[in-house]
Amino acid sequence: EGEFQWDRRFNFQNADGEKGDLTLWQIEEVQAGGVFAQGRLDFPSGVSLQAGIRYDRIRFSADDRFVRVDDPDDSGRRVMDALSPSAGLVIPAGPHHEVFASVSRSFETPTTTELANRPSGAGGFNPDLEPQTGLAVEGGMRGRFGSGASYEVTLFQTELEGELVPFEVPSEPGRTYFRNAGRSRHRGWEVALDAELAEPLALRVAYTRINARFEDFRTEDADYSGNRVPGLAPHRVDGVLRFREGGVFAEVRGLYQDDVPVNDAGTAASDAFFVTDLLVGLDGFRAGAAELSPFVAVRNLFDVRYNSSVVVNAFGGRYFEPGPGRTLTLGGTLTLAR
């Protein structure tokens, strides 16, 4: 496969909320090529083996058009490539269950914006920002009980080299820069259950536990080795209870998210929260030649104060992006028969 991207990038100073002086103008090109192969063997015993390999090569180039006496030509190019093998195995464990395992290498380059945003303010691409690579191992079991319930249990671990970590600098608050951590480890497990309860109720619930920490991460100013990776919740539970009877349906969703660290030092965190959403509607309500399916949804039913997302390593402690309060949505579909 192949991809090509062409951009014109302009950066301006922030003059009290207005567009200030031009600080960067450059033409950017990205040429990406990948070749891959994948094969699968299915044995008479029911065992399946899958393996693959992929090679990627990405070439970034920048043509600096903002050259001044005090701002030299920062034109240049960078090439990043990697070979990524993978293998997976599935073994039957009875008529309705199976055990699975996989191992793979991953490769993720910075985006052009991540490369172009340089704390020094120079143009071109950051020569110090490297791609993120990883080795992921996963295994578990899945299956079903009878005809009304299914489950999946997964254990996983990913070792990352050069994890891309966002940060801000005092001179440019609000603009995100990136740097590489040395080594980090993401380890955890997930359990998901999907079940048909007593007619007409159905339940789906998933729990995720993740322990993500920097194994080796040092900057000029600090050593963050051993700290939690910011932006990730250690515990998360997402459940949906559904009701359907005739043309009436309803859905209650509950989401719990544990506290989320928001900086590399681990000195601040976004508080844990639990929010509830409610959805009620009619499915296929007929009115003459028309078929109407209206619904009403109430998001954040109990008007909980919470942060829906965070800005990792934001300058000045501005980490938190609050979620909306109680929100009412009305909608539906209308179908006209001939």
Side-chain angles (χ1 to χ4, degrees):
E1 66 179 24
E3 297 179 77
F4 177 78
Q5 178 178 313
W6 184 89
D7 293 310
R8 291 191 302 168
R9 183 181 302 276
F10 299 91
N11 285 354
F12 298 88
Q13 289 183 343
N14 184 346
D16 296 325
E18 300 294 331
K19 185 166 68 174
D21 295 336
L22 180 69
T23 59
L24 182 144
W25 171 27
Q26 62 189 28
I27 305 296
E28 301 170 357
E29 290 185 3
V30 184
Q31 300 172 15
V35 58
F36 56 92
Q38 191 172 61
R40 173 171 170 164
L41 287 174
D42 295 320
F43 297 93
S45 61
V47 174
S48 293
L49 176 64
Q50 183 170 292
I53 191 165
R54 179 184 179 100
Y55 174 73
D56 290 283
R57 185 179 188 275
I58 298 92
R59 177 181 180 272
F60 300 86
S61 62
D63 180 9
D64 190 357
R65 301 296 181 89
F66 190 71
V67 180
R68 302 290 186 272
V69 174
D70 58 345
D71 191 337
D73 188 350
D74 294 305
S75 300
R77 67 183 62 179
R78 295 200 58 189
V79 175
M80 304 178 186
D81 66 335
L83 189 66
S84 305
S86 63
L89 181 68
V90 177
I91 303 174
H96 304 301
H97 310 274
E98 62 183 24
V99 177
F100 61 91
S102 66
V103 59
S104 62
R105 291 206 62 88
S106 62
F107 170 66
E108 179 183 345
T109 70
T111 66
T112 52
T113 298
E114 292 167 1
L115 285 169
N117 283 355
R118 302 174 61 179
S120 65
F125 288 135
N126 189 340
D128 300 319
L129 192 61
E130 299 295 335
Q132 171 183 298
T133 60
L135 175 64
V137 179
E138 180 180 285
M141 189 170 185
R142 55 182 168 241
R144 70 179 193 275
F145 299 102
S147 60
S150 62
Y151 72 95
E152 183 168 323
V153 181
T154 306
L155 290 82
F156 57 87
Q157 177 174 297
T158 302
E159 301 276 354
L160 293 177
E161 296 280 346
E163 180 167 0
L164 295 165
V165 181
F167 69 100
E168 293 184 1
V169 297
S171 60
E172 293 284 347
R175 175 164 289 173
T176 303
Y177 301 90
F178 283 80
R179 59 192 171 199
N180 296 107
R183 289 184 294 106
S184 56
R185 174 180 294 165
H186 297 236
R187 174 186 292 169
W189 52 283
E190 183 175 80
V191 179
L193 174 67
D194 202 334
E196 297 288 340
L197 305 179
E199 192 79 22
L201 294 176
L203 173 69
R204 175 169 175 78
V205 61
Y207 167 73
T208 303
R209 163 69 171 132
I210 183 168
N211 181 14
R213 294 186 179 273
F214 295 119
E215 296 290 301
D216 179 18
F217 183 20
R218 297 177 176 86
T219 67
E220 294 180 356
D221 305 318
D223 183 355
Y224 302 119
S225 303
N227 291 357
R228 291 162 58 186
V229 176
L232 298 174
H235 302 274
R236 180 183 173 93
V237 184
D238 193 351
V240 179
L241 180 64
R242 298 185 179 91
F243 169 89
R244 182 176 290 274
E245 182 69 36
V248 179
F249 65 90
E251 181 178 291
V252 179
R253 182 197 180 199
L255 172 64
Y256 169 78
Q257 182 171 287
D258 199 6
D259 67 293
V260 176
V262 295
N263 59 9
D264 295 335
T267 57
S270 178
D271 292 337
F273 65 84
F274 180 81
V275 293
T276 306
D277 299 335
L278 175 65
L279 174 70
V280 180
L282 297 175
D283 191 12
F285 177 74
R286 298 199 66 86
E291 184 176 280
L292 182 64
S293 298
F295 71 87
V296 56
V298 184
R299 312 295 181 189
N300 193 1
L301 180 64
F302 301 108
D303 201 23
V304 174
R305 294 171 61 91
Y306 73 104
N307 296 317
S308 59
S309 60
V310 298
V311 180
V312 172
N313 290 320
F315 171 72
R318 297 178 295 180
Y319 309 111
F320 312 108
E321 297 184 335
R326 185 184 297 113
T327 304
L328 178 67
T329 303
L330 301 174
T333 61
L334 176 65
T335 304
L336 299 177
R338 293 183 178 180

